[in-house]
Every structure is written in C-alpha cells, then in structure tokens.
Amino acid sequence: MNSFLLFVSKWRILLLLFLLFLMTNFLMSAFMPKEHALDLKFGYSVEEAYEALGRLDADEREGYHFGILTLDMPYLVIYFLLFSGILVKIWKKKQVVFIPFLIMVFDFLENISVLSMLRLFPERNEPVAVFASIFTTSKWVMIGILAVFIILGLILHFFKRSKAESVSAEQKN
C-alpha cells in the first residue's frame, strides 16, 4: 500500500491523473444532464429526485444511464487516485486517503441508487431515492472535508517552508 501511494503521489502520475480527471469531466458534461443530475444536488427529497428525472425525456435518461456506467464509474477511481496522491504529497501520511476513499464509496453507492431509479422509471422506489440522496449528500460533505484538508495542508506546508527558510537565513548570519 505504501509503495502504491508513493507511486500515485509522483508529479508525473498526478499530472496524468489530473488530465484524465479533466477529460472525464468534459465527457460527462455531454451525457449528464447538469440541471437535473441527481449527482450534483445536495439533500434532495424523493419528490425532487423523481421530478428531476421526470424532466428528462427517454433519450436523456438513457444518456444519463450511459454516462454513469461508462464515465462516472471510472471517474470515481480516477479522482480517488488523484486526490489520494495529492493528499499523500501534501500531508506525507497514508492515513489521509480515507477521505477520497469515502468519497469514492459514497459516489459508487449513489451511482448504484441512481441507476436503479433510472432503470425502474417511471415507477417510484422511495427507499432507493432516499438512499441516493443520503449518499449524494454524504459525498458532497466529504468533498468539503477534502477541500479543507487540501487547503489546510497547503497552508501548513508553506508555513513550515517559510519558517525553515527564515531559520536557515538566520543561521547564515
């Protein structure tokens, strides 16, 4: 596990993962209905979920289904690797990868829930819609925590760096 995390935290691997991250985001925008995608909402009700799916025609729902299977499923692995590498690079600790791991798990469970809703549509499965909302909201909460960890890590990294440079400059004098 340590060697794997060291591998994904190398600059050239992070760059490759970042390019894949951007490319997948771009491709998903072609298939995922931005204004009605449940993946992008926060804390939606059963009614809001089915209302959003109902605003899509059959072709758009099929494209949404296709986008989740072919793009969003690989995407969750890409961003897990990318953000695991970034966190290991910043924090120098493997324990921080639990954050992108949880995001990946919540996103996977969200995808399974939304795929089930799309497959059954127009039939309503309220428990699945509730779970989809819980998983989506949990994913977004964890993304917020990830952002805090990255920002805090960068601040601490630059603070330690500037402190080390000032100590080094004082020792030269």
Side-chain angles (χ1 to χ4, degrees), residues 83-96:
F83 289 109
S84 293
I86 289 170
L87 287 173
V88 168
K89 180 70 93 183
I90 294 171
W91 286 93
K92 311 284 190 240
K93 295 177 184 178
K94 67 180 180 179
Q95 293 86 349
V96 293

Side-chain angles (χ1 to χ4, degrees), residues 33 35-38 41 44-58 60-61 64 117-118 121-126 129:
E35 59 279 350
H36 304 299
L38 299 178
K41 297 185 182 301
Y44 49 86
S45 68
V46 172
E47 288 73 28
E48 291 169 325
Y50 282 102
E51 184 179 309
L53 294 180
R55 288 188 179 146
L56 304 173
D57 63 30
E60 290 170 321
R61 283 192 302 275
Y64 190 14
M117 292 171 64
L118 286 166
F121 192 85
E123 183 183 324
R124 290 169 58 120
N125 186 325
E126 292 190 10

